[in-house]
Amino acid sequence: MHMIVEVGAQLDPDVSWPEGAALSMFVGEPVQLMIFLSHPHALEVEAVSQPPTQFAWVDSEHVGVLAYRLGPILGWSEASFTPHMFEPDDGLPGVDLDAKVRIVLVDRDTNIVKALHTVRWPADFAAAVRESVVRMRETPYSAFAYEHALAALHRRYPTAEDLVVDRAEVQCTAKPA
């Protein structure tokens, strides 16, 4: 999932992305939040780079969930994460000390990048996510445990906002990169 993109560029046209978000975190690279929407509305495109950019992190042992809220209008959304979904050749899953986060909005129907914005997590937020990722990385992977943990979170907290309000370990408003 780690790739270099720019607004107007087309991602691989032979790949069909599911609606939603994908999160990648590798040492030596910015955290990358890829958001794939069918024909994103102009407000969604604008929200990617409009403050505030808010994040919340939930550590549920076998899965991490990054909740995000872009701009002043849109509500909370989420992306799940486990370091075990990536191949060793992709790199070492983790979060760098500079805690840069690249947010990329892609029109999933055309695979064209519609918006791109880079922000920075505050040190305490980045440290909490980094610690969680390292702990997950060192825990043996179980697809069943991952799916069970994610399903349990969604049963107890049916919306991303519920997850943020009632379960998030840390929250932040990102700073400009």
Side-chain angles (χ1 to χ4, degrees):
M1 185 62 59
H2 49 140
M3 57 185 87
I4 298 174
V5 296
E6 55 187 40
V7 174
Q10 184 177 32
L11 303 182
D12 186 344
D14 296 327
V15 175
S16 178
W17 300 100
E19 187 91 7
L23 180 62
S24 63
M25 296 188 257
F26 294 100
V27 172
E29 298 180 20
V31 170
Q32 190 151 277
L33 176 63
M34 302 282 294
I35 305 166
F36 301 96
L37 300 176
S38 288
H39 302 295
H41 188 277
L43 290 174
E44 293 169 318
V45 172
E46 190 175 308
V48 170
S49 59
Q50 294 299 310
T53 303
Q54 298 172 292
F55 294 98
W57 180 254
V58 174
D59 182 336
S60 185
E61 192 172 353
H62 295 282
V63 64
V65 177
L66 181 69
Y68 58 93
R69 185 173 182 188
L70 307 175
I73 296 173
L74 300 181
W76 286 96
S77 296
E78 65 183 74
S80 61
F81 178 82
T82 177
H84 301 289
M85 292 292 186
F86 301 95
E87 296 297 323
D89 292 351
D90 290 336
L92 180 66
V95 178
D96 284 348
L97 290 176
D98 72 357
K100 283 187 180 179
V101 180
R102 181 181 302 126
I103 305 163
V104 183
L105 176 63
V106 178
D107 182 331
R108 66 176 291 271
D109 297 318
T110 63
N111 280 358
I112 293 178
V113 175
K114 294 295 191 176
L116 174 65
H117 188 59
T118 303
V119 295
R120 189 181 310 274
W121 285 337
D124 59 336
F125 187 87
V129 176
R130 185 180 310 107
E131 181 180 308
S132 178
V133 170
V134 168
R135 186 198 45 72
M136 282 189 286
R137 198 174 63 209
E138 294 172 351
T139 301
Y141 179 65
S142 163
F144 175 79
Y146 169 83
E147 293 296 333
H148 178 73
L150 194 55
L153 283 174
H154 287 140
R155 266 193 316 278
R156 183 135 190 224
Y157 311 101
T159 69
E161 185 169 351
D162 292 335
L163 203 60
V164 171
V165 171
D166 297 328
R167 181 64 170 75
E169 276 77 19
V170 290
Q171 297 181 43
C172 75
T173 299
K175 301 171 179 7

